[in-house]
Amino acid sequence: MKKVLLVVAFFTCLGVYAQQNVTLKGTVVDLESYNEPMLLADVQLKNTDWKAQTNFKGNFELSGVAPGTYTLRVSYLGYETREMVLEVTGDAIARLHIGMQAETLDMGSIFETVEETPVKETVTAERENR
């Protein structure tokens, strides 16, 4: 009887532990170039240790994520950083498809109008000795 109770307790604990792990899988694509996969984009859950980079096909995987509410942050140099709130529940595999757009630069902040200031010329005359 003790062995049966021990086996039931083991499988119950195993089931509770398995429900705590969630795997987030997804793909990051470039919306500027007809949904081409983005290589080495950074994917992370903000304020946690869960982070990954995309592979050659733009895929990423974050495994062992505990249930809760997180902010998923996807960044890539030259592209706008995307952030989205995720509600992670149960023991499932969540699949995400994230599109990235190129970052737009405000040229007005780069080229500022410079006011012309008059230059005062100082002329000094030296006396010529002959």
Side-chain angles (χ1 to χ4, degrees):
M1 181 65 177
K2 288 183 181 181
K3 290 182 182 180
V4 172
L5 185 59
L6 183 63
V7 170
V8 170
F10 174 73
F11 282 111
T12 303
C13 292
L14 184 64
V16 170
Y17 176 74
Q19 290 180 356
Q20 299 300 320
N21 294 330
V22 177
T23 300
L24 300 175
K25 292 183 178 184
T27 304
V28 179
V29 296
D30 184 356
L31 297 177
E32 302 291 326
S33 64
Y34 306 105
N35 294 330
E36 289 291 321
M38 295 190 72
L39 170 67
L40 299 176
D42 292 318
V43 180
Q44 69 178 22
L45 296 177
K46 282 180 71 171
N47 303 322
T48 69
D49 292 332
W50 286 294
K51 57 185 167 183
Q53 285 187 325
T54 57
N55 61 15
F56 288 104
K57 295 182 180 180
N59 298 325
F60 68 91
E61 181 175 322
L62 298 171
S63 57
V65 178
T69 302
Y70 300 98
T71 302
L72 180 73
R73 183 176 190 266
V74 182
S75 60
Y76 192 81
L77 185 64
Y79 286 76
E80 293 180 4
T81 300
R82 298 272 320 261
E83 289 189 357
M84 56 192 73
V85 177
L86 296 178
E87 180 71 32
V88 177
T89 58
D91 59 340
I93 297 175
R95 299 200 185 273
L96 305 167
H97 186 78
I98 303 163
M100 302 286 285
Q101 291 183 327
E103 189 173 23
T104 55
L105 297 176
D106 181 17
M107 298 305 273
S109 63
I110 295 174
F111 300 108
E112 295 181 4
T113 306
V114 179
E115 293 181 20
E116 286 188 33
T117 55
V119 178
K120 296 181 181 178
E121 292 184 25
T122 307
V123 178
T124 56
E126 292 184 24
R127 192 177 240 180
E128 232 180 82
N129 292 331
R130 291 187 190 199

